[in-house]
């Protein structure tokens, strides 16, 4: 079992930056492929970024590539999402998730946090 708690969301102006953090509990964090997803009002939840168990390889949605960076600290059981050059279209609830397999497919993630709101004003 893995419990996930996101933090760091808030209101920021376009062009600004935020850092989201996901604290996890449970013994399987280091064995979990970790991802960030987001859901804007009226839209489907979508993939944002993911990172392998070792942290050596990251994957990004095209819409955030070059602006967002995912990282993890297996000693602290945390995974972060650093976001720069934020745009109004980045406004969404951001979710941290854990999977037992290497995947960016939402349906293959087993554990989810409650989400943190990110609002980017124009």
């Amino acid at each position: 079992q893995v419990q996930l708690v996101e933090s760091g969301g808030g209101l920021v102006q376009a062009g600004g930056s935020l850092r989201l953090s996901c604290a996890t509990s449970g013994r399987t964090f280091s064995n979990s492929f970790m991802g960030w997803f987001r859901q804007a009002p009226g839209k489907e939840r979508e993939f944002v970024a993911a990172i392998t168990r070792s942290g050596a390889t990251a994957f990004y949605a095209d819409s955030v590539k070059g602006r967002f960076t995912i990282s993890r600290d297996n000693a602290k059981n945390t995974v972060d999402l650093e976001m720069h050059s934020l745009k109004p279209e980045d406004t969404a609830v951001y979710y941290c998730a854990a999977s037992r397999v290497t995947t960016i497919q939402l349906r293959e993630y087993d554990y989810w946090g409650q989400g943190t709101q990110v609002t980017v004003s124009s």
Side-chain angles (χ1 to χ4, degrees):
Q1 187 77 11
V2 178
Q3 290 82 43
L4 310 171
V5 179
E6 302 95 337
S7 62
L11 173 64
V12 64
Q13 289 188 331
S17 300
L18 280 175
R19 187 180 184 96
L20 306 182
S21 187
C22 175
T24 74
S25 61
R27 298 181 179 180
T28 61
F29 175 78
S30 62
N31 293 327
S32 297
F33 187 81
M34 299 299 299
W36 284 93
F37 293 78
R38 67 186 182 187
Q39 188 166 17
K43 295 188 176 181
E44 298 288 321
R45 194 171 298 189
E46 64 177 7
F47 168 75
V48 175
I51 191 165
T52 56
R53 294 164 183 79
S54 68
T57 304
F59 305 84
Y60 297 95
D62 288 343
S63 58
V64 307
K65 203 170 293 183
R67 300 188 298 122
F68 291 11
T69 302
I70 187 171
S71 62
R72 68 189 293 164
D73 186 332
N74 286 342
K76 297 181 178 179
N77 288 353
T78 58
V79 58
D80 292 349
L81 185 68
E82 190 164 350
M83 307 184 294
H84 297 288
S85 302
L86 283 162
K87 305 174 182 179
E89 51 263 43
D90 293 318
T91 295
V93 177
Y94 283 71
Y95 298 90
C96 174
S99 175
R100 288 169 288 183
V101 300
T102 301
T103 181
I104 64 170
Q105 299 298 320
L106 183 151
R107 63 179 180 273
E108 294 182 334
Y109 280 76
D110 308 292
Y111 305 104
W112 292 84
Q114 293 299 308
T116 185
Q117 176 71 46
V118 171
T119 303
V120 185
S121 63
S122 57

